[in-house]
Amino acid sequence: MSRFDSFVADSARLGRLVVQPRMGFGRPPDMLAGLAQLALLDFPVVGTLTVDSYTRVGDHHTPLAQLAAGIELNGYPLVSHPVEVTRAMLDQLPGPAFPVQVRHGTALPLHIFRRLVEVGLDVTEGGPVSYCLPYSRLPLADTVAAWSQGCRFLAGETESCHIESFGGCLLGQLCPPSLLVAMTVLEGCFFRQHGIGHLSLSYAQGTLPEQDRGAMLALRELAQDYLADTTWHIVLYTYMGLFPRTPNGATRLIRDSAVLARDAGCERLIVKTVSEAWQIPSVSENVAALRLASAESAGPPAPATEADFGYREEILAEARSLIDAVLGLHRDVGTALVEAFARGLLDVPFCLHQDNAGATTCLIDERGALVWGSRGRLPLPAGPTRAEQGELTSDRLFGMLNHVARHYDDLPDHALDPR
């Protein structure tokens, strides 16, 4: 088991949720200062080294020029800074007692993976689909090939490398849970095929807690079926769509994501901050959000409800149908993923990438749940038709995009616990 996996597993055995920010700064002293503050916290925390947007697209010259000109970056240029500079920074942190994950957002990850190994780290995230369709114009076949090469490199360089699939966060919102669950399991299968044995499987908080809890019950069962020969855990993301604009609304949403993580048995939570809607969060804002999430997740989980199990059955059936349809296309998981999107057997709602069929849509129904509007050619069990759910108009789409933010912002200030 990797050091990172051991840290998460030990925390889970103690009944403690591991919390983690999304944080990156351009200058090594600033990055060190941020990570050092996290390392001093008295609850389980994973540090984050998020790379900047230039590095994500393979530009390793502009970041240092920007910093020399006094211009701040939105992340740490891992490839641009000399290896010895980053190593010296990381050597000042507690080591195994404080794992650090590299988060990067690039469809072509090999250059980041090489530097990750050079500076002594072994935890990262992303995926051949989840970091292509939402963020890149590159052909899916190219990113699958690049991630195949990158995973084989990591597997050959270290036995402890851990990759977190971003597949459970596709586009951040308005995606039915069954597709999120299927995609994170399929990317897990892809990683395993290329030698990565330590995984985490992501899921993004949606619009209805009962549906989210059911989805993570289904995800855990599918991971046990398809990834039994790997070490894995589930990581929940605080809502990835439009965030509440009021401090009270954002605080309530962060609190609810922590309770959701606890009740769903998640081992790790990626936490947002109260300033998420209008600026890049400061270190102090990240620390405050982590404290809130850790405190709210303490205590025993609430028992699963009949509604949770109902959503579990529905999501489990749909996700298994998608996974089996894809894996049945080819022995090589990457080839199968490319073929599945070409045939429309995988199709992400509202995704404009050229390799996505664009025949599916998602709606929020009267319960507040995310459901299929149009199913395109997805190989799914029979379900409600679009006519039964109602038409998708531009006004309805706008309302759905703002559904969560509006709900939390509109709660009265005295509603300290909106659950």
Side-chain angles (χ1 to χ4, degrees):
M1 185 179 290
S2 71
R3 292 174 298 173
F4 175 74
D5 289 273
S6 296
F7 176 83
V8 173
D10 290 345
S11 299
R13 278 192 291 271
L14 295 173
R16 302 298 304 275
L17 176 71
V18 175
V19 293
Q20 179 178 355
R22 299 187 303 163
M23 189 175 75
F25 304 98
R27 303 177 193 279
D30 297 333
M31 192 73 249
L32 174 60
L35 291 172
Q37 286 195 46
L38 300 185
L40 293 174
L41 296 174
D42 58 354
F43 47 85
V45 179
V46 168
T48 304
L49 193 157
T50 302
V51 306
D52 65 289
S53 54
Y54 293 107
T55 302
R56 294 174 195 175
V57 295
D59 180 353
H60 308 310
H61 301 287
T62 302
L64 295 185
Q66 295 282 86
L67 291 175
I71 300 172
E72 297 300 324
L73 302 177
N74 62 349
Y76 186 83
L78 178 64
V79 181
S80 302
H81 285 310
V83 171
E84 59 272 18
V85 169
T86 302
R87 269 190 172 275
M89 176 191 72
L90 295 172
D91 285 345
Q92 298 180 65
L93 298 172
F98 179 65
V100 175
Q101 181 190 48
V102 173
R103 305 187 67 86
H104 58 87
T106 182
L108 304 176
L110 184 59
H111 56 292
I112 292 175
F113 287 178
R114 289 188 185 280
R115 185 53 57 89
L116 178 151
V117 170
E118 289 172 343
V119 301
L121 297 176
D122 58 5
V123 185
T124 188
E125 48 80 56
V129 174
S130 58
Y131 268 4
C132 174
L133 266 64
Y135 305 124
S136 172
R137 296 181 181 178
L138 293 170
L140 180 60
D142 290 358
T143 66
V144 165
W147 275 84
S148 299
Q149 183 183 15
C151 289
R152 290 194 299 270
F153 167 77
L154 287 178
E157 291 294 321
T158 172
E159 295 181 358
S160 61
C161 181
H162 180 111
I163 300 184
E164 169 195 321
S165 166
F166 198 67
C169 305
L170 289 173
L171 297 186
Q173 57 184 343
L174 297 187
C175 189
S178 59
L179 183 58
L180 301 181
V181 169
M183 187 53 63
T184 196
V185 172
L186 285 167
E187 286 196 336
C189 292
F190 175 91
F191 297 145
R192 179 190 61 188
Q193 187 171 65
H194 293 290
I196 307 297
H198 305 294
L199 312 171
S200 41
L201 307 172
S202 64
Y203 181 80
Q205 180 184 15
T207 55
L208 187 68
E210 296 89 343
Q211 187 179 38
D212 289 336
R213 291 192 296 266
M216 285 182 278
L217 286 171
L219 174 55
R220 196 168 292 277
E221 183 168 338
L222 291 166
Q224 290 167 350
D225 291 345
Y226 292 91
L227 299 167
D229 55 347
T230 66
T231 300
W232 57 267
H233 69 263
I234 293 177
V235 53
L236 175 69
Y237 282 66
T238 300
Y239 186 67
M240 295 284 284
L242 295 176
F243 219 66
R245 296 195 62 82
T246 64
N248 284 340
T251 297
R252 296 180 186 111
L253 179 49
I254 295 166
R255 177 189 293 128
D256 278 5
S257 71
V259 172
L260 174 62
R262 180 198 69 195
D263 291 347
C266 296
E267 290 85 353
R268 184 161 55 99
L269 173 68
I270 306 295
V271 184
K272 285 193 172 185
T273 71
V274 294
S275 65
E276 206 72 32
W278 62 84
Q279 69 180 29
I280 297 175
S282 65
V283 175
S284 61
E285 287 168 333
N286 272 298
V287 169
L290 294 172
R291 285 193 182 280
L292 173 65
S294 183
E296 289 295 325
S297 66
T305 67
E306 183 177 344
D308 298 347
F309 286 115
Y311 283 112
R312 169 196 167 277
E313 291 304 312
E314 175 186 327
I315 294 166
L316 184 63
E318 289 191 357
R320 195 183 293 278
S321 292
L322 293 169
I323 294 167
D324 289 344
V326 175
L327 296 181
L329 293 174
H330 200 278
R331 290 179 58 188
D332 179 79
V333 180
T335 301
L337 286 168
V338 173
E339 182 66 21
F341 276 98
R343 296 188 186 190
L345 303 181
L346 291 175
D347 189 351
V348 182
F350 311 116
C351 175
L352 301 180
H353 191 278
Q354 69 267 21
D355 288 331
N356 190 66
T360 62
T361 58
C362 176
L363 302 171
I364 299 177
D365 70 7
E366 70 284 352
R367 303 166 298 178
L370 293 165
V371 297
W372 294 106
S374 301
R375 293 171 173 240
R377 297 189 295 276
L378 298 178
L380 296 177
T385 65
R386 176 175 175 174
E388 291 171 324
Q389 298 294 348
E391 291 297 314
L392 177 60
T393 64
S394 58
D395 286 344
R396 187 174 184 183
L397 177 59
F398 180 80
M400 291 191 301
L401 290 170
N402 286 276
H403 174 85
V404 169
R406 185 176 62 246
H407 167 74
Y408 282 94
D409 281 337
D410 287 351
L411 288 169
D413 288 345
H414 65 269
L416 297 180
D417 188 352
R419 293 181 293 279

